Amino acid sequence: MWSDCSATCGEGNKTSYELNANVAKARAEYCNLVNCPVDGMWSLWSNSWCSTTCGGGKIVYSRFCDNPFPAYHGNDCMGISNYTKDCEDYTICPVNGGWSSWSSWSLCNQPCEGGLVSRFRNCSNPTSQYGGLNCNGSSMETVNCSWKFCKKVDLNVEVFFVDKEYNDGFVRSTIDPTFELKERVIKAISKLYQNFKMVANFSVELHSIRNDVP
């Protein structure tokens, strides 16, 4: 008759005894009833590189329950499998440039017969720094103005300054008594140009008359 296996799981032996003519004989055999449970054990910790190449970042530390893996209803590893730590790289990070918002459209650069309106933006949101990239694209956009036909006129103006000496200079100065009069002429011509959208050819003559001259 065989005895029980010497192990409750895994490898063991069982024996059998036999009496023959008052002589006992024993036999032994290998036995393996079931696989023994294997509890999991942690591997060594490993870590990643810092998550950034400049400024602050994170390092991840991790390990695995594979030394050995739990098997045959063995217990899993106890504890955490990963955690993070701050890492510092004191290299200043590059800052790439970004576009600002577009400006409003400008007035047409011609009062009639074509022209362009334009708008602008700046690479200042933010400005590129520390080797960062500049903005990609154009800083200005233009489109054609609505077409309007121009009225063409010829304008001849003759201005007489009575009792005041004429000076052909246009530098604002109290020494030039005709400056105010000349400025009024220029403003009047400019107003005509703006109100009627005309392309005018101007011919202006300025004279000085003195009452004391016979």
Side-chain angles (χ1 to χ4, degrees):
M1 185 175 179
W2 291 99
S3 66
D4 292 333
C5 189
S6 60
T8 58
C9 64
E11 298 179 355
N13 294 291
K14 61 181 180 179
T15 56
S16 174
Y17 298 93
E18 181 179 343
L19 290 173
N20 187 3
N22 296 324
V23 177
K25 292 182 179 181
R27 288 186 300 168
E29 288 187 1
Y30 166 81
C31 58
N32 187 355
L33 301 179
V34 292
N35 291 316
C36 294
V38 178
D39 292 335
M41 297 291 288
W42 289 114
S43 65
L44 297 176
W45 287 102
S46 62
N47 62 278
S48 67
W49 295 100
C50 188
S51 60
T52 58
T53 56
C54 59
K58 298 287 184 182
I59 294 178
V60 179
Y61 291 84
S62 58
R63 60 181 179 174
F64 300 94
C65 188
D66 61 356
N67 188 35
F69 288 104
Y72 310 119
H73 305 290
N75 295 320
D76 287 331
C77 298
M78 298 290 291
I80 60 173
S81 61
N82 62 76
Y83 68 96
T84 61
K85 288 182 66 175
D86 293 334
C87 53
E88 293 289 341
D89 189 325
Y90 296 99
T91 303
I92 299 176
C93 295
V95 177
N96 294 331
W99 288 114
S100 64
S101 299
W102 284 105
S103 68
S104 301
W105 288 103
S106 68
L107 297 175
C108 190
N109 63 352
Q110 293 183 196
C112 50
E113 292 189 355
L116 297 171
V117 294
S118 56
R119 64 177 184 173
F120 303 88
R121 60 180 179 174
N122 297 314
C123 188
S124 59
N125 188 32
T127 303
S128 61
Q129 298 182 75
Y130 313 120
L133 300 175
N134 288 322
C135 299
N136 185 24
S138 176
S139 62
M140 181 179 71
E141 283 186 350
T142 59
V143 295
N144 293 325
C145 305
S146 300
W147 183 268
K148 296 177 182 179
F149 286 100
C150 290
K151 297 177 182 179
K152 293 181 172 62
V153 298
D154 290 326
L155 181 64
N156 296 311
V157 179
E158 193 168 7
V159 181
F160 293 90
F161 298 100
V162 180
D163 289 337
K164 291 186 178 179
E165 182 179 355
Y166 168 64
N167 186 336
D168 197 30
F170 280 84
V171 179
R172 182 181 294 273
S173 171
T174 55
I175 300 176
D176 181 6
T178 67
F179 182 86
E180 182 179 354
L181 293 174
K182 287 185 289 184
E183 193 173 54
R184 288 173 61 185
V185 172
I186 294 170
K187 287 182 178 179
I189 294 173
S190 176
K191 185 175 180 180
L192 176 68
Y193 176 77
Q194 293 174 358
N195 290 346
F196 297 97
K197 294 184 172 58
M198 295 180 178
V199 175
N201 296 320
F202 298 113
S203 174
V204 181
E205 293 183 14
L206 303 178
H207 301 278
S208 173
I209 298 178
R210 299 181 63 86
N211 286 335
D212 59 348
V213 178

